[in-house]
């Protein structure tokens, strides 16, 4: 669901972000690159936000990884950070192309294989990159991976989303939206109130769109089907983190990765005090610590010349 949220107040970046190239048709002006430092600077981490989200939702993870020394790029997906019409005009292949472009840009800075880390639909896109470019992706971090919207807070009508392609074929629903429902992926009440305020402010570049356009959900479902069919092709180690009581996407989505990735090690971490937005919710420090530890292990393996 909508993973576009403001991050809790945090300290300023230790290392200045490198300006993105000028905005193109699909936009890159809101993505940011943090230059690494020390022995881990040559290991890049590509951060991928979720459907209707923004690079801003990955900022706490980006800062934590960068403090540890990694070079980090938070990519902006095609059609995002703009209007609903901008998003509806894109297809899932455009989102994959955005991740590809981000990976290429990051490797221009590091010259080494990278770690792909995504949130919600971004986790599915990180897996798509690992499937397509096994030599470029040394590890995958899947945070609240979302192949389907089956969490406990989802309205009953979302179970009929399989009908959406029929509606689009008939020209129905271009301007229709599945609106967000409380608790909006956040268990922490004070943080949730801030997030809801930002979502309603109308600044999609900061807080994303307040709902998921029907036609974009069609594309997300097609992306999910494409990746699930090919999970057996993933060769990179995976760290999967998911809330047991995820309100947007059940933990079954995470277990799909455990079952589907048969040719690489998969570590599953289930969280007990968060909802969908685990990067900013009550266990965000645990999420960051596990992500940093996983990235450090991948970096050591790559430096030692062993297969990840």
């Amino acid at each position: 669901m909508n993973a576009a949220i403001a991050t809790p107040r945090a300290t300023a970046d230790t290392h200045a972000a490198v300006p993105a190239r000028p905005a193109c048709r699909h936009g890159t002006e809101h993505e940011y690159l943090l230059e690494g430092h020390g022995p881990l600077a040559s290991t890049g981490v590509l951060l991928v936000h979720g459907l209707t989200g923004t690079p801003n939702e990955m900022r706490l993870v980006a800062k934590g990884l960068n403090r540890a020394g990694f070079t980090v790029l938070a990519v902006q997906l095609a059609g995002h950070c703009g209007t609903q019409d901008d998003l509806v005009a894109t297809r899932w292949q455009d989102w994959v192309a955005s991740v590809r472009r981000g990976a290429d840009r990051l490797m221009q800075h590091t010259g080494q294989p990278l770690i792909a880390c995504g949130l919600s639909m971004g986790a599915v896109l990180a897996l798509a990159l690992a499937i397509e470019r096994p030599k470029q992706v040394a590890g995958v971090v899947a945070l609240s991976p979302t192949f389907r919207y089956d969490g406990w807070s989802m309205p009953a009508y979302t179970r009929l989303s399989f009908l959406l392609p029929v509606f689009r074929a008939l020209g129905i629903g271009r301007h229709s939206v599945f609106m967000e429902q409380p608790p909006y992926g956040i268990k922490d009440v004070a943080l949730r109130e801030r997030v809801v305020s930002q979502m309603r402010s109308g600044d999609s570049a900061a807080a994303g769109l307040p709902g998921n356009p029907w036609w974009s959900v069609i594309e997300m479902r097609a992306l999910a089907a494409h990746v699930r069919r090919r999970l057996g092709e993933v060769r990179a180690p995976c760290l999967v983190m998911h809330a047991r009581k995820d309100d947007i996407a059940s933990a079954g989505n995470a277990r799909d990765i455990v079952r589907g990735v048969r040719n690489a090690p998969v570590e599953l971490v289930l969280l007990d005090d968060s909802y969908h937005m685990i990067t900013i919710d009550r266990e965000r420090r645990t999420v960051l610590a596990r992500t940093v530890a996983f990235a450090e292990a991948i970096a050591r393996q790559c430096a030692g010349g062993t297969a990840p």
Side-chain angles (χ1 to χ4, degrees), residues 282-303:
R282 292 177 175 175
E283 293 165 288
R284 59 185 179 270
R285 292 179 180 84
T286 298
V287 170
L288 176 59
R290 298 296 289 258
T291 301
V292 169
F294 175 81
E296 289 174 341
I298 296 295
R300 286 194 299 270
Q301 291 171 343
C302 290

Side-chain angles (χ1 to χ4, degrees), residues 107-180:
M107 288 191 67
Q108 288 175 359
H109 286 265
T110 65
Q112 301 290 335
L114 56 83
I115 297 163
C117 173
L119 174 66
S120 194
M121 185 186 77
V124 181
L125 288 166
L127 289 163
L129 184 69
I131 291 166
E132 183 179 297
R133 297 184 171 185
K135 293 183 179 179
Q136 191 176 35
V137 179
V140 174
V141 180
L143 306 173
S144 303
T146 304
F147 295 107
R148 58 194 171 275
Y149 296 136
D150 59 353
W152 57 264
S153 75
M154 300 304 297
Y157 62 74
T158 60
R159 297 170 189 167
L160 302 177
S161 59
F162 65 91
L163 295 173
L164 291 177
V166 177
F167 293 166
R168 184 164 67 179
L170 296 173
I172 299 171
R174 181 180 179 88
H175 301 291
S176 299
V177 175
F178 290 126
M179 294 304 296
E180 287 289 335

Side-chain angles (χ1 to χ4, degrees), residues 176-191:
S176 299
V177 175
F178 290 126
M179 294 304 296
E180 287 289 335
Q181 301 289 327
Y184 304 102
I186 305 170
K187 191 171 185 179
D188 186 285
V189 176
L191 175 60

Side-chain angles (χ1 to χ4, degrees), residues 4 25 85 96 102 110 142 166 178 211-212 223 244 254 276:
R25 173 179 174 269
D85 285 341
V96 173
T110 65
V166 177
F178 290 126
N212 292 284
L223 168 68
R244 291 184 191 273
H276 188 64

Side-chain angles (χ1 to χ4, degrees), residues 36-110:
H37 55 94
L40 294 175
S42 61
T43 300
V45 183
L46 184 69
L47 300 180
V48 189
H49 63 78
L51 179 62
T52 76
T54 79
N56 190 48
E57 74 190 25
M58 305 301 290
R59 197 168 291 275
L60 282 182
V61 175
K63 289 179 178 180
L65 286 162
N66 186 242
R67 281 195 297 271
F70 296 97
T71 297
V72 181
L73 173 64
V75 72
Q76 178 180 340
L77 297 178
H80 289 71
C81 300
T83 66
Q84 180 176 319
D85 285 341
D86 293 333
L87 180 55
V88 169
T90 58
R91 298 290 180 262
W92 69 265
Q93 293 90 343
D94 298 317
W95 305 334
V96 173
S98 297
V99 175
R100 260 190 234 117
R101 172 191 51 76
D104 290 341
R105 181 185 171 200
L106 182 56
M107 288 191 67
Q108 288 175 359
H109 286 265
T110 65

